[in-house]
């Protein structure tokens, strides 16, 4: 059954995301107890503009696998892509102190979408702690600090990004 997952991955990389989503859907029908299948299908649905379908799927996946980080992350992402950042924030409300990079990255995106710059600055600080050598993470922090008018902090952060 993992061959279906690998086939879906190859199809998606080849530009056939809809076909890939159908392929992984077949895998879910055969073996619904594999959270990676649900997360992959949601990722593919989001890629082809089916965020609302992904939300529906992921609600079921979350019920089945409540602590599976990728499912929570993709559910938040689907809400963002559907234009509902408040629901995205609700999905991750109990994970606001997470140290999981995928979750914290989504929290930054949600805060940005809600124009909650103080939260974006707070989450991006956590992201820098998790991945201090990643320049893109420092750039996210820089943007958040600019938004809250912490210009010296922003200058310091962008300086660290290019060292």
């Amino acid at each position: 059954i993992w061959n279906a997952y690998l086939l879906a991955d190859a199809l998606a990389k080849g530009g056939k995301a809809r076909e890939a989503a159908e392929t992984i859907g077949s895998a879910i029908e055969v073996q619904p107890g594999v959270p990676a299948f649900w997360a992959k299908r949601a990722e593919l649905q989001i890629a082809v503009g089916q965020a609302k379908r992904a939300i529906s799927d992921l609600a079921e996946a979350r019920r089945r696998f409540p602590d599976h980080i990728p499912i929570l992350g993709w559910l938040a992402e689907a809400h963002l892509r559907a234009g509902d950042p408040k629901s995205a924030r609700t999905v991750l409300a109990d994970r606001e102190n997470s140290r999981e990079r995928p979750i914290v990255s989504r929290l930054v995106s949600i805060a940005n979408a809600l124009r909650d710059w103080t939260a974006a600055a707070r989450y991006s600080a956590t992201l820098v702690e998790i991945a201090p050598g990643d320049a893109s993470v420092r750039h996210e922090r820089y943007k958040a600090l600019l938004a809250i008018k912490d210009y010296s902090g922003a200058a310091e952060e962008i300086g660290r990004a290019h060292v």
Side-chain angles (χ1 to χ4, degrees):
I1 197 74
W2 280 97
N3 286 344
Y5 182 91
L6 297 173
L7 175 59
D9 191 50
L11 287 167
K13 289 177 180 168
K16 298 179 180 179
R18 280 189 204 282
E19 190 177 336
E22 290 170 14
T23 299
I24 203 70
S26 297
I28 290 170
E29 287 176 21
V30 173
Q31 206 161 15
V34 181
F37 293 173
W38 293 83
K40 179 54 106 177
R41 181 164 67 177
E43 176 185 355
L44 295 166
Q45 290 168 328
I46 291 167
V48 297
Q50 297 177 341
K52 290 187 179 190
R53 184 180 227 175
I55 290 167
S56 176
D57 257 12
L58 288 164
E60 173 62 18
R62 185 178 189 192
R63 186 186 66 72
R64 291 171 180 256
F65 319 104
D67 294 319
H68 193 264
I69 298 297
I71 287 172
L72 292 174
W74 282 115
L75 182 55
E77 184 68 23
H79 280 294
L80 278 175
R81 298 282 183 94
D84 189 1
K86 288 182 181 178
S87 290
R89 178 177 268 175
T90 299
V91 166
L92 299 178
D94 61 341
R95 304 281 179 172
E96 292 213 354
N97 296 315
S98 176
R99 303 286 299 167
E100 298 281 344
R101 185 173 178 171
I103 297 298
V104 179
S105 292
R106 296 262 173 23
L107 287 167
V108 171
S109 297
I110 292 165
N112 286 333
L114 290 169
R115 304 177 73 76
D116 183 348
W117 311 125
T118 302
R122 185 176 70 249
Y123 297 136
S124 63
T126 301
L127 208 49
V128 167
E129 290 172 12
I130 294 168
D134 185 334
S136 67
V137 165
R138 291 196 177 275
H139 189 254
E140 279 300 316
R141 175 101 173 113
Y142 162 80
K143 291 188 305 185
L145 291 169
L146 282 181
I148 62 171
K149 299 183 180 356
D150 180 353
Y151 303 118
S152 61
E156 185 178 315
E157 201 61 61
I158 205 65
R160 288 183 182 145
H162 297 290
V163 172

